[in-house]
PDB file of all heavy atoms in Angstrom:
ATOM      1  N   THR A  13     211.587-129.686 223.410  1.00 42.00           N
ATOM      2  CA  THR A  13     210.520-129.076 224.210  1.00 42.00           C
ATOM      3  C   THR A  13     210.124-129.936 225.429  1.00 42.00           C
ATOM      4  O   THR A  13     209.339-129.436 226.193  1.00 42.00           O
ATOM      5  CB  THR A  13     209.281-128.927 223.305  1.00 42.00           C
ATOM      6  OG1 THR A  13     208.945-130.179 222.739  1.00 42.00           O
ATOM      7  CG2 THR A  13     209.589-127.977 222.149  1.00 42.00           C
ATOM      8  N   THR A  14     210.657-131.117 225.530  1.00 47.00           N
ATOM      9  CA  THR A  14     210.358-131.888 226.769  1.00 47.00           C
ATOM     10  C   THR A  14     211.404-131.725 227.714  1.00 47.00           C
ATOM     11  O   THR A  14     212.558-131.269 227.402  1.00 47.00           O
ATOM     12  CB  THR A  14     210.188-133.415 226.362  1.00 47.00           C
ATOM     13  OG1 THR A  14     211.362-133.845 225.671  1.00 47.00           O
ATOM     14  CG2 THR A  14     208.991-133.620 225.495  1.00 47.00           C
ATOM     15  N   THR A  15     211.193-132.117 228.989  1.00 55.00           N
ATOM     16  CA  THR A  15     212.103-131.973 229.997  1.00 55.00           C
ATOM     17  C   THR A  15     212.805-133.217 230.507  1.00 55.00           C
ATOM     18  O   THR A  15     212.281-134.284 230.318  1.00 55.00           O
ATOM     19  CB  THR A  15     211.352-131.268 231.252  1.00 55.00           C
ATOM     20  OG1 THR A  15     212.282-131.133 232.322  1.00 55.00           O
ATOM     21  CG2 THR A  15     210.226-132.187 231.656  1.00 55.00           C
ATOM     22  N   LEU A  16     214.026-132.970 231.085  1.00 60.00           N
ATOM     23  CA  LEU A  16     214.734-134.182 231.632  1.00 60.00           C
ATOM     24  C   LEU A  16     214.118-134.641 232.869  1.00 60.00           C
ATOM     25  O   LEU A  16     214.403-135.766 233.351  1.00 60.00           O
ATOM     26  CB  LEU A  16     216.218-133.782 231.841  1.00 60.00           C
ATOM     27  CG  LEU A  16     216.994-133.451 230.569  1.00 60.00           C
ATOM     28  CD1 LEU A  16     218.359-132.772 230.981  1.00 60.00           C
ATOM     29  CD2 LEU A  16     217.277-134.690 229.712  1.00 60.00           C
ATOM     30  N   LYS A  17     213.262-133.805 233.512  1.00 66.00           N
ATOM     31  CA  LYS A  17     212.694-134.191 234.730  1.00 66.00           C
ATOM     32  C   LYS A  17     211.733-135.378 234.581  1.00 66.00           C
ATOM     33  O   LYS A  17     211.038-135.441 233.608  1.00 66.00           O
ATOM     34  CB  LYS A  17     211.964-133.073 235.399  1.00 66.00           C
ATOM     35  CG  LYS A  17     212.858-131.896 235.873  1.00 66.00           C
ATOM     36  CD  LYS A  17     212.036-130.750 236.449  1.00 66.00           C
ATOM     37  CE  LYS A  17     212.997-129.665 236.992  1.00 66.00           C
ATOM     38  NZ  LYS A  17     212.224-128.510 237.565  1.00 66.00           N
ATOM     39  N   GLY A  18     211.797-136.334 235.463  1.00 75.00           N
ATOM     40  CA  GLY A  18     210.834-137.435 235.406  1.00 75.00           C
ATOM     41  C   GLY A  18     211.402-138.601 234.579  1.00 75.00           C
ATOM     42  O   GLY A  18     210.679-139.714 234.522  1.00 75.00           O
ATOM     43  N   ILE A  19     212.625-138.489 234.020  1.00 85.00           N
ATOM     44  CA  ILE A  19     213.106-139.647 233.283  1.00 85.00           C
ATOM     45  C   ILE A  19     213.634-140.662 234.315  1.00 85.00           C
ATOM     46  O   ILE A  19     214.487-140.295 235.148  1.00 85.00           O
ATOM     47  CB  ILE A  19     214.281-139.156 232.354  1.00 85.00           C
ATOM     48  CG1 ILE A  19     213.728-138.225 231.319  1.00 85.00           C
ATOM     49  CG2 ILE A  19     214.857-140.485 231.671  1.00 85.00           C
ATOM     50  CD1 ILE A  19     214.864-137.729 230.414  1.00 85.00           C
ATOM     51  N   PRO A  20     213.115-141.858 234.305  1.00 88.00           N
ATOM     52  CA  PRO A  20     213.630-142.852 235.355  1.00 88.00           C
ATOM     53  C   PRO A  20     215.121-143.116 235.320  1.00 88.00           C
ATOM     54  O   PRO A  20     215.681-143.185 234.313  1.00 88.00           O
ATOM     55  CB  PRO A  20     212.784-144.102 234.967  1.00 88.00           C
ATOM     56  CG  PRO A  20     211.666-143.630 234.098  1.00 88.00           C
ATOM     57  CD  PRO A  20     212.191-142.452 233.403  1.00 88.00           C
ATOM     58  N   LYS A  21     215.648-143.171 236.544  1.00 92.00           N
ATOM     59  CA  LYS A  21     217.042-143.678 236.739  1.00 92.00           C
ATOM     60  C   LYS A  21     218.041-142.839 235.957  1.00 92.00           C
ATOM     61  O   LYS A  21     219.074-143.295 235.583  1.00 92.00           O
ATOM     62  CB  LYS A  21     217.155-145.136 236.407  1.00 92.00           C
ATOM     63  CG  LYS A  21     216.280-146.024 237.244  1.00 92.00           C
ATOM     64  CD  LYS A  21     216.280-147.468 236.843  1.00 92.00           C
ATOM     65  CE  LYS A  21     215.343-148.272 237.654  1.00 92.00           C
ATOM     66  NZ  LYS A  21     215.349-149.725 237.285  1.00 92.00           N
ATOM     67  N   ALA A  22     217.709-141.524 235.770  1.00 91.00           N
ATOM     68  CA  ALA A  22     218.645-140.630 235.046  1.00 91.00           C
ATOM     69  C   ALA A  22     219.338-139.722 236.003  1.00 91.00           C
ATOM     70  O   ALA A  22     218.879-139.287 236.998  1.00 91.00           O
ATOM     71  CB  ALA A  22     217.837-139.782 234.035  1.00 91.00           C
ATOM     72  N   ALA A  23     220.606-139.497 235.703  1.00 90.00           N
ATOM     73  CA  ALA A  23     221.450-138.558 236.581  1.00 90.00           C
ATOM     74  C   ALA A  23     222.424-137.810 235.686  1.00 90.00           C
ATOM     75  O   ALA A  23     223.020-138.450 234.768  1.00 90.00           O
ATOM     76  CB  ALA A  23     222.173-139.379 237.680  1.00 90.00           C
ATOM     77  N   PHE A  24     222.633-136.554 235.915  1.00 88.00           N
ATOM     78  CA  PHE A  24     223.505-135.731 235.197  1.00 88.00           C
ATOM     79  C   PHE A  24     224.978-136.080 235.532  1.00 88.00           C
ATOM     80  O   PHE A  24     225.329-136.237 236.722  1.00 88.00           O
ATOM     81  CB  PHE A  24     223.306-134.296 235.439  1.00 88.00           C
ATOM     82  CG  PHE A  24     224.103-133.304 234.629  1.00 88.00           C
ATOM     83  CD1 PHE A  24     223.964-133.274 233.262  1.00 88.00           C
ATOM     84  CD2 PHE A  24     225.052-132.498 235.203  1.00 88.00           C
ATOM     85  CE1 PHE A  24     224.726-132.444 232.422  1.00 88.00           C
ATOM     86  CE2 PHE A  24     225.851-131.672 234.407  1.00 88.00           C
ATOM     87  CZ  PHE A  24     225.607-131.614 233.027  1.00 88.00           C
ATOM     88  N   PHE A  25     225.840-136.153 234.476  1.00 89.00           N
ATOM     89  CA  PHE A  25     227.287-136.553 234.685  1.00 89.00           C
ATOM     90  C   PHE A  25     228.033-135.230 234.417  1.00 89.00           C
ATOM     91  O   PHE A  25     228.087-134.791 233.312  1.00 89.00           O
ATOM     92  CB  PHE A  25     227.688-137.690 233.743  1.00 89.00           C
ATOM     93  CG  PHE A  25     229.091-138.054 233.943  1.00 89.00           C
ATOM     94  CD1 PHE A  25     229.354-139.219 234.738  1.00 89.00           C
ATOM     95  CD2 PHE A  25     230.129-137.515 233.278  1.00 89.00           C
ATOM     96  CE1 PHE A  25     230.670-139.644 234.888  1.00 89.00           C
ATOM     97  CE2 PHE A  25     231.445-137.932 233.429  1.00 89.00           C
ATOM     98  CZ  PHE A  25     231.662-139.042 234.257  1.00 89.00           C
ATOM     99  N   PHE A  26     228.741-134.743 235.491  1.00 83.00           N
ATOM    100  CA  PHE A  26     229.513-133.525 235.340  1.00 83.00           C
ATOM    101  C   PHE A  26     230.968-133.938 235.456  1.00 83.00           C
ATOM    102  O   PHE A  26     231.488-134.210 236.515  1.00 83.00           O
ATOM    103  CB  PHE A  26     229.102-132.539 236.488  1.00 83.00           C
ATOM    104  CG  PHE A  26     229.778-131.132 236.265  1.00 83.00           C
ATOM    105  CD1 PHE A  26     229.651-130.461 235.066  1.00 83.00           C
ATOM    106  CD2 PHE A  26     230.401-130.559 237.376  1.00 83.00           C
ATOM    107  CE1 PHE A  26     230.291-129.187 234.923  1.00 83.00           C
ATOM    108  CE2 PHE A  26     230.969-129.343 237.261  1.00 83.00           C
ATOM    109  CZ  PHE A  26     230.952-128.594 236.045  1.00 83.00           C
ATOM    110  N   ALA A  27     231.716-133.874 234.337  1.00 83.00           N
ATOM    111  CA  ALA A  27     232.997-134.358 234.290  1.00 83.00           C
ATOM    112  C   ALA A  27     233.983-133.709 235.270  1.00 83.00           C
ATOM    113  O   ALA A  27     234.823-134.402 235.779  1.00 83.00           O
ATOM    114  CB  ALA A  27     233.561-134.194 232.812  1.00 83.00           C
ATOM    115  N   PRO A  28     233.998-132.353 235.429  1.00 82.00           N
ATOM    116  CA  PRO A  28     234.941-131.719 236.337  1.00 82.00           C
ATOM    117  C   PRO A  28     234.863-132.328 237.748  1.00 82.00           C
ATOM    118  O   PRO A  28     235.925-132.459 238.427  1.00 82.00           O
ATOM    119  CB  PRO A  28     234.568-130.260 236.315  1.00 82.00           C
ATOM    120  CG  PRO A  28     234.009-130.046 234.946  1.00 82.00           C
ATOM    121  CD  PRO A  28     233.227-131.329 234.622  1.00 82.00           C
ATOM    122  N   THR A  29     233.718-132.682 238.203  1.00 87.00           N
ATOM    123  CA  THR A  29     233.568-133.336 239.589  1.00 87.00           C
ATOM    124  C   THR A  29     234.262-134.647 239.525  1.00 87.00           C
ATOM    125  O   THR A  29     235.040-134.991 240.519  1.00 87.00           O
ATOM    126  CB  THR A  29     232.115-133.470 239.931  1.00 87.00           C
ATOM    127  OG1 THR A  29     231.511-132.136 240.036  1.00 87.00           O
ATOM    128  CG2 THR A  29     231.977-134.058 241.332  1.00 87.00           C
ATOM    129  N   HIS A  30     234.062-135.453 238.451  1.00 90.00           N
ATOM    130  CA  HIS A  30     234.598-136.738 238.431  1.00 90.00           C
ATOM    131  C   HIS A  30     236.110-136.802 238.231  1.00 90.00           C
ATOM    132  O   HIS A  30     236.853-137.629 238.856  1.00 90.00           O
ATOM    133  CB  HIS A  30     233.902-137.566 237.282  1.00 90.00           C
ATOM    134  CG  HIS A  30     232.537-138.027 237.633  1.00 90.00           C
ATOM    135  ND1 HIS A  30     232.229-139.264 238.189  1.00 90.00           N
ATOM    136  CD2 HIS A  30     231.397-137.445 237.451  1.00 90.00           C
ATOM    137  CE1 HIS A  30     230.949-139.333 238.423  1.00 90.00           C
ATOM    138  NE2 HIS A  30     230.401-138.268 237.947  1.00 90.00           N
ATOM    139  N   ILE A  31     236.706-135.827 237.538  1.00 88.00           N
ATOM    140  CA  ILE A  31     238.145-135.761 237.421  1.00 88.00           C
ATOM    141  C   ILE A  31     238.842-135.318 238.735  1.00 88.00           C
ATOM    142  O   ILE A  31     239.856-135.898 239.131  1.00 88.00           O
ATOM    143  CB  ILE A  31     238.591-134.709 236.288  1.00 88.00           C
ATOM    144  CG1 ILE A  31     240.079-134.982 236.005  1.00 88.00           C
ATOM    145  CG2 ILE A  31     238.320-133.288 236.646  1.00 88.00           C
ATOM    146  CD1 ILE A  31     240.426-136.123 235.164  1.00 88.00           C
ATOM    147  N   GLN A  32     238.174-134.495 239.535  1.00 88.00           N
ATOM    148  CA  GLN A  32     238.682-134.164 240.851  1.00 88.00           C
ATOM    149  C   GLN A  32     238.614-135.353 241.761  1.00 88.00           C
ATOM    150  O   GLN A  32     239.545-135.676 242.546  1.00 88.00           O
ATOM    151  CB  GLN A  32     237.869-132.923 241.423  1.00 88.00           C
ATOM    152  CG  GLN A  32     238.110-131.658 240.727  1.00 88.00           C
ATOM    153  CD  GLN A  32     239.520-131.200 240.660  1.00 88.00           C
ATOM    154  OE1 GLN A  32     240.288-131.398 241.732  1.00 88.00           O
ATOM    155  NE2 GLN A  32     239.968-130.680 239.623  1.00 88.00           N
ATOM    156  N   ASN A  33     237.495-136.157 241.651  1.00 91.00           N
ATOM    157  CA  ASN A  33     237.450-137.388 242.430  1.00 91.00           C
ATOM    158  C   ASN A  33     238.572-138.365 242.080  1.00 91.00           C
ATOM    159  O   ASN A  33     239.174-138.996 242.940  1.00 91.00           O
ATOM    160  CB  ASN A  33     236.059-138.056 242.232  1.00 91.00           C
ATOM    161  CG  ASN A  33     235.010-137.274 242.900  1.00 91.00           C
ATOM    162  OD1 ASN A  33     235.212-136.417 243.741  1.00 91.00           O
ATOM    163  ND2 ASN A  33     233.759-137.545 242.457  1.00 91.00           N
ATOM    164  N   LYS A  34     238.920-138.438 240.764  1.00 91.00           N
ATOM    165  CA  LYS A  34     239.995-139.281 240.335  1.00 91.00           C
ATOM    166  C   LYS A  34     241.327-138.853 240.846  1.00 91.00           C
ATOM    167  O   LYS A  34     242.206-139.599 241.227  1.00 91.00           O
ATOM    168  CB  LYS A  34     239.975-139.408 238.806  1.00 91.00           C
ATOM    169  CG  LYS A  34     238.858-140.374 238.263  1.00 91.00           C
ATOM    170  CD  LYS A  34     239.307-141.824 238.564  1.00 91.00           C
ATOM    171  CE  LYS A  34     238.162-142.841 238.512  1.00 91.00           C
ATOM    172  NZ  LYS A  34     237.441-143.043 239.772  1.00 91.00           N
ATOM    173  N   TYR A  35     241.512-137.544 240.815  1.00 89.00           N
ATOM    174  CA  TYR A  35     242.753-136.979 241.299  1.00 89.00           C
ATOM    175  C   TYR A  35     242.917-137.381 242.787  1.00 89.00           C
ATOM    176  O   TYR A  35     243.997-137.681 243.212  1.00 89.00           O
ATOM    177  CB  TYR A  35     242.814-135.473 241.208  1.00 89.00           C
ATOM    178  CG  TYR A  35     243.067-134.958 239.798  1.00 89.00           C
ATOM    179  CD1 TYR A  35     242.692-133.656 239.410  1.00 89.00           C
ATOM    180  CD2 TYR A  35     243.629-135.758 238.855  1.00 89.00           C
ATOM    181  CE1 TYR A  35     242.998-133.195 238.170  1.00 89.00           C
ATOM    182  CE2 TYR A  35     243.941-135.274 237.560  1.00 89.00           C
ATOM    183  CZ  TYR A  35     243.510-134.028 237.180  1.00 89.00           C
ATOM    184  OH  TYR A  35     243.843-133.573 235.929  1.00 89.00           O
ATOM    185  N   LYS A  36     241.867-137.313 243.599  1.00 91.00           N
ATOM    186  CA  LYS A  36     241.942-137.690 245.001  1.00 91.00           C
ATOM    187  C   LYS A  36     242.189-139.187 245.092  1.00 91.00           C
ATOM    188  O   LYS A  36     242.980-139.594 246.040  1.00 91.00           O
ATOM    189  CB  LYS A  36     240.606-137.311 245.642  1.00 91.00           C
ATOM    190  CG  LYS A  36     240.458-135.770 245.798  1.00 91.00           C
ATOM    191  CD  LYS A  36     239.114-135.456 246.451  1.00 91.00           C
ATOM    192  CE  LYS A  36     238.905-133.983 246.507  1.00 91.00           C
ATOM    193  NZ  LYS A  36     237.579-133.635 247.028  1.00 91.00           N
ATOM    194  N   GLU A  37     241.519-140.047 244.264  1.00 92.00           N
ATOM    195  CA  GLU A  37     241.590-141.471 244.420  1.00 92.00           C
ATOM    196  C   GLU A  37     242.946-141.993 243.850  1.00 92.00           C
ATOM    197  O   GLU A  37     243.607-142.824 244.554  1.00 92.00           O
ATOM    198  CB  GLU A  37     240.485-142.116 243.683  1.00 92.00           C
ATOM    199  CG  GLU A  37     240.448-143.669 243.707  1.00 92.00           C
ATOM    200  CD  GLU A  37     239.332-144.258 242.837  1.00 92.00           C
ATOM    201  OE1 GLU A  37     238.453-143.500 242.358  1.00 92.00           O
ATOM    202  OE2 GLU A  37     239.349-145.513 242.616  1.00 92.00           O
ATOM    203  N   TRP A  38     243.293-141.665 242.671  1.00 92.00           N
ATOM    204  CA  TRP A  38     244.474-142.252 242.023  1.00 92.00           C
ATOM    205  C   TRP A  38     245.687-141.259 242.038  1.00 92.00           C
ATOM    206  O   TRP A  38     246.805-141.732 241.928  1.00 92.00           O
ATOM    207  CB  TRP A  38     244.188-142.405 240.447  1.00 92.00           C
ATOM    208  CG  TRP A  38     243.166-143.384 240.173  1.00 92.00           C
ATOM    209  CD1 TRP A  38     242.689-144.367 241.012  1.00 92.00           C
ATOM    210  CD2 TRP A  38     242.478-143.555 238.947  1.00 92.00           C
ATOM    211  NE1 TRP A  38     241.754-145.172 240.308  1.00 92.00           N
ATOM    212  CE2 TRP A  38     241.606-144.669 239.097  1.00 92.00           C
ATOM    213  CE3 TRP A  38     242.519-142.946 237.656  1.00 92.00           C
ATOM    214  CZ2 TRP A  38     240.798-145.159 238.012  1.00 92.00           C
ATOM    215  CZ3 TRP A  38     241.703-143.379 236.653  1.00 92.00           C
ATOM    216  CH2 TRP A  38     240.828-144.437 236.815  1.00 92.00           C
ATOM    217  N   GLY A  39     245.444-139.980 242.316  1.00 89.00           N
ATOM    218  CA  GLY A  39     246.531-139.018 242.256  1.00 89.00           C
ATOM    219  C   GLY A  39     246.615-138.415 240.900  1.00 89.00           C
ATOM    220  O   GLY A  39     246.297-139.126 239.880  1.00 89.00           O
ATOM    221  N   PRO A  40     246.946-137.075 240.727  1.00 83.00           N
ATOM    222  CA  PRO A  40     246.957-136.492 239.440  1.00 83.00           C
ATOM    223  C   PRO A  40     247.953-137.122 238.427  1.00 83.00           C
ATOM    224  O   PRO A  40     247.645-137.212 237.295  1.00 83.00           O
ATOM    225  CB  PRO A  40     247.482-135.085 239.806  1.00 83.00           C
ATOM    226  CG  PRO A  40     247.064-134.847 241.191  1.00 83.00           C
ATOM    227  CD  PRO A  40     247.217-136.213 241.821  1.00 83.00           C
ATOM    228  N   GLU A  41     249.118-137.569 238.892  1.00 82.00           N
ATOM    229  CA  GLU A  41     250.046-138.171 238.006  1.00 82.00           C
ATOM    230  C   GLU A  41     249.515-139.457 237.354  1.00 82.00           C
ATOM    231  O   GLU A  41     249.629-139.650 236.104  1.00 82.00           O
ATOM    232  CB  GLU A  41     251.356-138.500 238.689  1.00 82.00           C
ATOM    233  CG  GLU A  41     252.479-138.958 237.813  1.00 82.00           C
ATOM    234  CD  GLU A  41     253.839-139.112 238.525  1.00 82.00           C
ATOM    235  OE1 GLU A  41     253.952-138.611 239.651  1.00 82.00           O
ATOM    236  OE2 GLU A  41     254.774-139.626 237.852  1.00 82.00           O
ATOM    237  N   LYS A  42     248.982-140.375 238.139  1.00 89.00           N
ATOM    238  CA  LYS A  42     248.454-141.624 237.602  1.00 89.00           C
ATOM    239  C   LYS A  42     247.221-141.339 236.648  1.00 89.00           C
ATOM    240  O   LYS A  42     247.110-141.908 235.633  1.00 89.00           O
ATOM    241  CB  LYS A  42     247.994-142.586 238.700  1.00 89.00           C
ATOM    242  CG  LYS A  42     247.449-143.906 238.212  1.00 89.00           C
ATOM    243  CD  LYS A  42     246.998-144.825 239.365  1.00 89.00           C
ATOM    244  CE  LYS A  42     246.350-146.066 238.800  1.00 89.00           C
ATOM    245  NZ  LYS A  42     245.862-147.013 239.923  1.00 89.00           N
ATOM    246  N   THR A  43     246.315-140.437 237.152  1.00 90.00           N
ATOM    247  CA  THR A  43     245.102-140.159 236.349  1.00 90.00           C
ATOM    248  C   THR A  43     245.502-139.627 235.019  1.00 90.00           C
ATOM    249  O   THR A  43     244.939-140.004 233.991  1.00 90.00           O
ATOM    250  CB  THR A  43     244.249-139.100 237.127  1.00 90.00           C
ATOM    251  OG1 THR A  43     243.892-139.618 238.413  1.00 90.00           O
ATOM    252  CG2 THR A  43     243.077-138.747 236.340  1.00 90.00           C
ATOM    253  N   ASN A  44     246.462-138.626 234.964  1.00 85.00           N
ATOM    254  CA  ASN A  44     246.802-138.012 233.725  1.00 85.00           C
ATOM    255  C   ASN A  44     247.476-138.982 232.839  1.00 85.00           C
ATOM    256  O   ASN A  44     247.392-138.946 231.606  1.00 85.00           O
ATOM    257  CB  ASN A  44     247.599-136.721 233.983  1.00 85.00           C
ATOM    258  CG  ASN A  44     246.861-135.622 234.533  1.00 85.00           C
ATOM    259  OD1 ASN A  44     245.702-135.556 234.295  1.00 85.00           O
ATOM    260  ND2 ASN A  44     247.497-134.778 235.372  1.00 85.00           N
ATOM    261  N   LEU A  45     248.368-139.817 233.380  1.00 87.00           N
ATOM    262  CA  LEU A  45     249.075-140.855 232.585  1.00 87.00           C
ATOM    263  C   LEU A  45     248.099-141.799 231.903  1.00 87.00           C
ATOM    264  O   LEU A  45     248.199-142.073 230.716  1.00 87.00           O
ATOM    265  CB  LEU A  45     250.043-141.670 233.535  1.00 87.00           C
ATOM    266  CG  LEU A  45     250.804-142.766 232.807  1.00 87.00           C
ATOM    267  CD1 LEU A  45     251.691-142.200 231.700  1.00 87.00           C
ATOM    268  CD2 LEU A  45     251.685-143.538 233.744  1.00 87.00           C
ATOM    269  N   MET A  46     247.107-142.279 232.774  1.00 92.00           N
ATOM    270  CA  MET A  46     246.129-143.188 232.174  1.00 92.00           C
ATOM    271  C   MET A  46     245.267-142.529 231.058  1.00 92.00           C
ATOM    272  O   MET A  46     245.020-143.078 230.013  1.00 92.00           O
ATOM    273  CB  MET A  46     245.243-143.810 233.262  1.00 92.00           C
ATOM    274  CG  MET A  46     245.900-144.782 234.199  1.00 92.00           C
ATOM    275  SD  MET A  46     244.812-145.327 235.566  1.00 92.00           S
ATOM    276  CE  MET A  46     243.498-146.171 234.607  1.00 92.00           C
TER     277      MET A  46
END
């Protein structure tokens, strides 16, 4: 019943965005291998 708003230093982590970032940084082959 309480909200996530107002929690100090909190940020939502959305995995699809981060995997796309890793594909750009490491490349899909290295990312998937690791």
Side-chain angles (χ1 to χ4, degrees):
T13 56
T14 54
T15 177
L16 294 171
K17 292 181 179 178
I19 300 175
K21 300 177 182 176
F24 185 65
F25 184 93
F26 188 51
T29 299
H30 285 269
I31 193 78
Q32 291 303 319
N33 291 340
K34 280 285 162 273
Y35 283 162
K36 291 176 184 176
E37 179 186 352
W38 294 343
E41 186 174 348
K42 178 181 177 181
T43 301
N44 290 330
L45 177 62
M46 289 178 64

